[in-house]
Amino acid sequence: MTLLEFLQSIQADLMLDARRFNTDFLDIAPRTYPAGSAINRQGDQSTKTVIVASGWSYISRHLSNGTRQIIDTPLKGDVLGLPSFDWGASNSLTSVSDITVYEVPSQTLRKALEQDANLGMHFSRIAARQHAIAVERLTSVCRRNALERTAHYLLELSERLGGIAVRRYDCPLTQHEIADTLGLTQIHVNRTLRELRERELVSFRAGSVEFLSRQKLVKLAGFDNGYLRYNWPSQPLRPNPAHKPAAGQAPSA
Amino acid sequence: MTLLEFLQSIQADLMLDARRFNTDFLDIAPRTYPAGSAINRQGDQSTKTVIVASGWSYISRHLSNGTRQIIDTPLKGDVLGLPSFDWGASNSLTSVSDITVYEVPSQTLRKALEQDANLGMHFSRIAARQHAIAVERLTSVCRRNALERTAHYLLELSERLGGIAVRRYDCPLTQHEIADTLGLTQIHVNRTLRELRERELVSFRAGSVEFLSRQKLVKLAGFDNGYLRYNWPSQPLRPNPAHKPAAGQAPSA
DNA sequence: CGAGCATTTGACACGTTTCAATCTCTGTGG
DNA sequence: CCACAGAGATTGAAACGTGTCAAATGCTCG
């Protein structure tokens, strides 16, 4: 199996058990960390790319004033530390639950990139999506209040986990971690979640997120899932029957 | 001249007059827009990549609630609409001053990418830097107050314009545009700029930014320019004498 | 000279933070 | 089996930063 096929399979079908794949010959090691591990620390000179197989974690940056900002919570299929992204040096990766990741040495990636032009395009799409997520969060933090922002975030997580059909999902993030993600305080996240619950929009209690009225929530948050779509090219560099443009999800907003 | 050489030259030496280059045979058209033009509109199905040669502009996103968020103010040498980045559809590009850009058709880019493996790496580095800028802004907006945030932004612009040696620069952005960039109101940007001036840190009046005490400003903002460095690989895919890792700037913080 | 846009200033309102407790779990040791 | 500790969640009251509203000033261009 090529690295490209591996990436495509882990990302195309989120229901698959990642361990089904024989990745030995790819020089990719699946590795498990317990909850609360520092998989990468800001400042590390790491030279590996990490692909999330299962579990929750967060990417964070620590500021000189003592605070931290959570950049994103990568989910199954997300790729961290793309080639040329000097990622490990400036970001920490901490597991929230037990987590399984594939760690790809830079050398392996370099070779694979030389051999397969489509792989570069694939990484480019992944990078584009991650950038779109960061830009959407920036927009959210600047232009939406706490209620809209939290609603938007919970909707984004649901779509990234499995699409618009998801009615509820487990989320092990603490209110403090959500606060550090959305630029709020833990206390205000608490009040905001209460209001979302009292308005019968979403309920987030005991690690379980349940949508009560997804439609109203989408409207409140001004949520448009377009930015989460992988932008498959209409014509791959070489024939590639695996993916068509139509593979994207239908908009929910 | 190859596209890669063109990109390298326009980005390596910001002092060069971009019009010196003969770009005809690259199928790259230099094009000038007057101030206030909509070079790209959110929703356009554009299939071109834009390289900024000179002038100021901003990338913005419009929300359903009527507000807008300015994502970035690209400067000379910045590249917009990288391949796979479904950029034009979700972002607007508006000129603030008269601006000259190179517009590269997707087809040209596609061919160039197939011919030169280093070009893909080059774009990857550009994408990484843009992502780092977005992440730093997200961090800034979430964890710095108006004073620190504005200070940080003015420092970032100076470094992107010419490095730490820049004592003053012209900036045609209005307070309203800066507000839409930093997640503030125009009125509060005004108050903040006044305080920065009264504290004798930076002066921003009549389109001119002048550093009064860059050292104190860096400290106030918690500014570390590491995220602005292009992450040149230690070993390019093929020998490439033009760039070495040491080509980066020295940290200022 | 006046229109239009950007800037500047003041007073007040509001959203979010800060501070201080209390409450609810869950796991652990006596 | 219960007491306890510790982490997370919840609530209230007050403080603070930024937004909102309103108006005046300055600048530039026809």
Side-chain angles (χ1 to χ4, degrees):
Chain A
M1 187 187 298
T2 68
L3 182 54
L4 179 59
E5 287 166 351
F6 174 68
L7 277 171
Q8 286 177 339
S9 47
I10 205 174
Q11 292 183 329
D13 188 346
L14 298 173
M15 294 301 114
L16 290 176
D17 180 357
R19 266 163 290 172
R20 268 181 47 195
F21 299 109
N22 175 11
T23 55
D24 293 348
F25 66 101
L26 286 177
D27 192 15
I28 299 175
R31 189 167 167 188
T32 299
Y33 295 88
S37 311
I39 300 169
N40 189 287
R41 278 196 179 82
Q42 192 169 332
D44 283 3
Q45 280 297 9
S46 99
T47 52
K48 61 183 188 230
T49 295
V50 173
I51 305 168
V52 178
S54 68
W56 288 70
S57 57
Y58 60 82
I59 306 164
S60 61
R61 276 174 57 76
H62 295 270
L63 278 75
S64 57
N65 63 18
T67 63
R68 74 167 176 186
Q69 174 64 30
I70 293 182
I71 305 304
D72 194 24
T73 47
L75 298 171
K76 187 171 192 171
D78 283 339
V79 180
L80 311 171
L82 286 174
S84 300
F85 282 63
D86 189 16
W87 179 85
S90 50
N91 298 83
S92 298
L93 177 62
T94 311
S95 59
V96 173
S97 65
D98 291 354
I99 183 174
T100 301
V101 298
Y102 295 94
E103 299 184 347
V104 187
S106 295
Q107 196 57 27
T108 304
L109 210 53
R110 184 176 293 273
K111 280 186 203 157
L113 277 167
E114 283 173 357
Q115 286 166 11
D116 189 346
N118 277 319
L119 184 60
M121 286 297 275
H122 196 84
F123 276 142
S124 183
R125 275 178 245 127
I126 289 171
R129 185 186 196 244
Q130 286 175 1
H131 187 66
I133 289 173
V135 164
E136 185 66 29
R137 184 102 73 237
L138 176 64
T139 307
S140 211
V141 161
C142 288
R143 298 290 158 223
R144 288 189 250 259
N145 63 25
L147 203 69
E148 299 163 349
R149 212 184 299 173
T150 308
H152 193 279
Y153 182 60
L154 294 177
L155 282 166
E156 177 184 310
L157 286 180
S158 85
E159 300 247 356
R160 289 172 66 181
L161 280 167
I164 62 170
V166 172
R167 280 236 157 341
R168 67 159 295 286
Y169 58 92
D170 293 320
C171 174
L173 297 174
T174 65
Q175 293 180 352
H176 193 81
E177 284 155 354
I178 293 173
D180 282 350
T181 303
L182 300 179
L184 299 167
T185 57
Q186 176 268 321
I187 294 167
H188 203 60
V189 167
N190 182 288
R191 289 195 258 256
T192 305
L193 290 175
R194 169 153 53 101
E195 186 169 351
L196 286 171
R197 204 183 316 123
E198 285 171 355
R199 287 204 198 179
E200 300 191 331
L201 298 168
V202 235
S203 162
F204 184 177
R205 296 196 95 147
S208 170
V209 178
E210 189 173 356
F211 294 108
L212 305 176
S213 172
R214 195 189 180 96
Q215 200 177 8
K216 283 187 200 162
L217 199 65
V218 165
K219 193 180 169 196
L220 169 71
F223 183 75
D224 176 354
N225 66 3
Y227 70 101
L228 290 173
R229 254 194 302 271
Y230 285 99
N231 182 27
W232 307 114
S234 48
Q235 289 188 339
L237 292 180
R238 299 173 202 169
N240 179 359
H243 290 92
K244 300 279 181 192
Q249 305 154 6
S252 73
Chain B
M1 187 187 299
T2 67
L3 182 54
L4 179 59
E5 287 166 352
F6 174 70
L7 277 171
Q8 285 177 339
S9 47
I10 206 174
Q11 292 183 329
D13 188 347
L14 298 174
M15 294 301 112
L16 290 175
D17 181 357
R19 267 163 289 173
R20 268 181 48 195
F21 299 109
N22 174 12
T23 56
D24 293 348
F25 65 101
L26 285 176
D27 192 17
I28 299 174
R31 189 166 168 189
T32 298
Y33 294 88
S37 313
I39 300 169
N40 189 288
R41 278 196 179 81
Q42 190 169 332
D44 283 3
Q45 282 296 8
S46 100
T47 53
K48 62 183 185 231
T49 295
V50 174
I51 305 169
V52 178
S54 69
W56 288 70
S57 57
Y58 59 82
I59 307 164
S60 61
R61 276 174 57 78
H62 295 270
L63 278 75
S64 57
N65 63 18
T67 63
R68 73 167 176 186
Q69 174 63 30
I70 293 183
I71 306 305
D72 196 22
T73 48
L75 298 172
K76 187 171 191 170
D78 283 338
V79 180
L80 312 170
L82 286 174
S84 301
F85 282 63
D86 189 15
W87 179 84
S90 49
N91 298 83
S92 298
L93 177 62
T94 311
S95 59
V96 172
S97 65
D98 290 354
I99 183 173
T100 301
V101 299
Y102 295 94
E103 299 185 346
V104 187
S106 296
Q107 196 56 28
T108 304
L109 210 53
R110 184 177 293 273
K111 280 185 203 156
L113 277 166
E114 282 173 356
Q115 286 165 12
D116 189 345
N118 277 319
L119 184 60
M121 285 299 272
H122 197 83
F123 277 142
S124 183
R125 275 179 245 126
I126 290 171
R129 186 186 195 243
Q130 287 176 1
H131 187 66
I133 289 172
V135 164
E136 186 66 30
R137 185 103 71 239
L138 176 64
T139 306
S140 212
V141 161
C142 287
R143 297 292 158 221
R144 289 190 250 258
N145 62 27
L147 202 69
E148 298 163 349
R149 211 184 298 173
T150 308
H152 193 279
Y153 182 59
L154 293 177
L155 282 166
E156 177 184 309
L157 286 180
S158 85
E159 300 246 356
R160 289 172 66 181
L161 281 166
I164 61 170
V166 173
R167 281 237 156 343
R168 68 158 294 287
Y169 58 92
D170 293 319
C171 175
L173 298 173
T174 65
Q175 293 179 353
H176 192 81
E177 286 155 353
I178 294 175
D180 281 350
T181 304
L182 300 179
L184 299 166
T185 58
Q186 177 268 321
I187 294 168
H188 203 63
V189 167
N190 182 287
R191 290 193 266 252
T192 305
L193 289 176
R194 169 153 53 102
E195 186 169 351
L196 286 172
R197 204 182 318 123
E198 285 171 356
R199 287 204 198 179
E200 299 191 334
L201 298 168
V202 236
S203 162
F204 184 175
R205 297 196 94 149
S208 170
V209 178
E210 189 172 355
F211 293 109
L212 305 176
S213 172
R214 195 189 180 95
Q215 201 177 8
K216 283 187 200 161
L217 198 65
V218 165
K219 193 180 168 194
L220 169 71
F223 182 75
D224 177 352
N225 66 2
Y227 70 100
L228 291 174
R229 253 194 302 271
Y230 285 100
N231 181 27
W232 307 115
S234 48
Q235 289 188 339
L237 293 179
R238 300 172 202 169
N240 178 2
H243 289 92
K244 300 280 181 190
Q249 304 154 6
S252 72

